[in-house]
Amino acid sequence: MKLGLETESCHLLFQHRKMDVFSFIRKTWELGLEGVELNIIPDLNLHPEFGVLDGDEKRYLHRIREAIEQYNLYCEIDTRFCEKAALAKALVIANELGADVVRTYVSNGKFNPERMKKAPENLREIVPLLKKYRIQLALENHEHETSAEIIQIIKAVDSIWVGAHCDIGNAMMAWEDPVEAVKALAPYTYSTHFKDHIVTLHDDTPVVCGVPIGQGSIDVDECFRLLVEHSPVKRINIENCYPYCAPFARPQGTGGVDQFTGAFAIKPTIFPASLIKPLDYYYPHNISAEALAQLTQAQIEALKISRDKLIELRHKYCQ
């Protein structure tokens, strides 16, 4: 089982121009990991169309591919939405970079039944391009969808080129137990985001908060085991969503959980409220320079913590 790193694990470094895609590739190698997952979705101070990339010019993409190959890393791409126009561009980029898996998701900021209904037809339209490029498409449970809803779309598409992207933490925003979500998605899984979460309070409102892997409420040991034993994946990607926080996206009980117990037990905030509140973690520059500095340093330190935990789990289950 190879281990990779998703660029979201360094989102503050990217947003504040302390890292670019080339230094990220090198950092991944320095951490002893074996692959990169590049997020090409726009964000603060990133490219308005291609995220952590500076563009889609072939010469530039080939420079990135050379850097990836120099360090003997695999490559996956993260994009969003299911419409053909959006996915076609991502597949061209993936092909130029030598990526063989592209992650996408349905949601556009909230659960949208109409988009969910259209997803199978939209994804069927992209299958000929997946065949052409020999790229698998992995549909993520992206905070808004339960595992059952993702599986329903995959079955409706009915193509070997379209499977699941199993994010072990996102199930919580839809009130689904992480272990149960991984158990359901594993047989369909082509790609992964491996992370850890707690539930904490923003003022008096429960929210889901990212923490370094192994320091949260998710049974990451069991999630790793399920992926090893019940999915076809050969890679597990660290998406260290820390510092990060998100509200619950669906009504309580949607995914089968309706109590704040187990993985949903409410825990103390990870930073003092006098410094920053949970829903401000992702963009700490909006609060203060001190908050940005402290959270950036915490993100850097979390890379090694999460890496070490994944190596421990790989040693345990992948002898």
Side-chain angles (χ1 to χ4, degrees):
M1 185 74 74
K2 292 185 176 182
L3 305 177
L5 187 67
E6 212 272 7
T7 47
E8 275 293 296
S9 303
C10 302
H11 83 277
L12 292 177
L13 299 170
F14 276 103
Q15 288 176 356
H16 298 281
R17 303 189 185 281
K18 297 180 179 181
M19 176 176 278
D20 64 9
V21 68
F22 295 100
S23 55
F24 174 78
I25 291 166
R26 180 173 178 84
K27 181 65 174 179
T28 300
W29 174 77
E30 289 174 346
L31 287 166
L33 299 171
E34 295 138 320
V36 293
E37 191 174 22
L38 308 179
N39 194 317
I40 60 171
I41 297 173
D43 198 5
L44 175 70
N45 291 329
L46 302 186
H47 192 282
E49 187 174 1
F50 303 114
V52 300
L53 307 181
D54 289 339
D56 65 344
E57 190 215 7
K58 279 191 177 183
R59 184 178 300 179
Y60 168 70
L61 295 177
H62 291 171
R63 284 179 54 219
I64 297 173
R65 181 169 182 163
E66 288 170 4
I68 292 169
E69 291 176 348
Q70 175 187 348
Y71 293 111
N72 195 31
L73 304 175
Y74 67 79
C75 180
E76 298 183 14
I77 295 296
D78 276 3
T79 190
R80 61 180 175 178
F81 306 150
C82 295
E83 292 77 13
K84 185 176 181 180
L87 288 176
K89 282 190 177 182
L91 290 174
V92 170
I93 290 171
N95 184 59
E96 297 297 336
L97 293 178
D100 56 2
V101 180
V102 169
R103 182 286 317 253
T104 197
Y105 55 79
V106 179
S107 56
N108 61 340
K110 62 181 180 179
F111 182 75
N112 187 319
E114 188 62 27
R115 291 178 69 88
M116 294 289 287
K117 183 179 178 181
K118 292 179 179 178
E121 180 182 353
N122 289 337
L123 293 176
R124 280 194 291 269
E125 290 181 358
I126 208 71
V127 168
L129 277 180
L130 298 173
K131 290 180 180 179
K132 174 183 176 181
Y133 293 126
R134 320 309 289 176
I135 291 174
Q136 293 176 316
L137 189 70
L139 184 66
E140 182 181 20
N141 55 324
H142 193 259
E143 301 185 0
H144 304 84
E145 307 88 8
T146 66
S147 59
E149 290 165 339
I150 294 298
I151 293 167
Q152 184 179 16
I153 293 172
I154 293 168
K155 287 183 174 180
V157 176
D158 191 24
S159 169
I160 61 170
W161 296 99
V162 177
H165 178 103
C166 180
D167 185 304
I168 76 166
N170 282 352
M172 293 178 69
M173 289 76 149
W175 290 96
E176 185 174 12
D177 181 81
V179 170
E180 294 303 313
V182 174
K183 192 180 298 183
L185 289 171
Y188 305 91
T189 295
Y190 290 169
S191 182
T192 59
H193 281 164
F194 208 90
K195 60 179 60 164
D196 208 347
H197 282 162
I198 61 170
V199 175
T200 190
L201 295 178
H202 179 99
D203 296 329
D204 295 324
T205 302
V207 290
V208 180
C209 181
V211 297
I213 297 172
Q215 295 187 358
S217 299
I218 296 176
D219 187 348
V220 294
D221 188 294
E222 180 64 4
C223 289
F224 195 97
R225 185 192 70 81
L226 287 168
L227 288 169
V228 169
E229 296 187 5
H230 298 286
S231 84
V233 293
K234 299 178 182 178
R235 310 160 177 166
I236 291 181
N237 300 308
I238 297 169
E239 188 188 41
N240 201 71
C241 283
Y242 170 82
Y244 166 87
C245 195
F248 286 93
R250 303 286 292 276
Q252 192 165 346
T254 296
V257 175
D258 60 6
Q259 300 292 324
F260 290 105
T261 58
F264 292 78
I266 295 176
K267 302 289 182 68
T269 57
I270 55 178
F271 299 100
S274 58
L275 175 70
I276 190 169
K277 294 182 180 181
L279 288 177
D280 296 317
Y281 289 170
Y282 197 76
Y283 297 115
H285 69 285
N286 289 331
I287 303 304
S288 69
E290 180 185 4
L292 174 60
Q294 288 198 31
L295 270 63
T296 300
Q297 184 58 38
Q299 184 167 80
I300 293 170
E301 293 170 358
L303 294 176
K304 294 181 179 179
I305 296 170
S306 295
R307 183 269 321 265
D308 290 349
K309 185 62 179 180
L310 264 292
I311 289 175
E312 174 191 323
L313 291 173
R314 179 170 65 178
H315 181 75
K316 181 175 182 179
Y317 290 111
C318 302
Q319 287 297 314

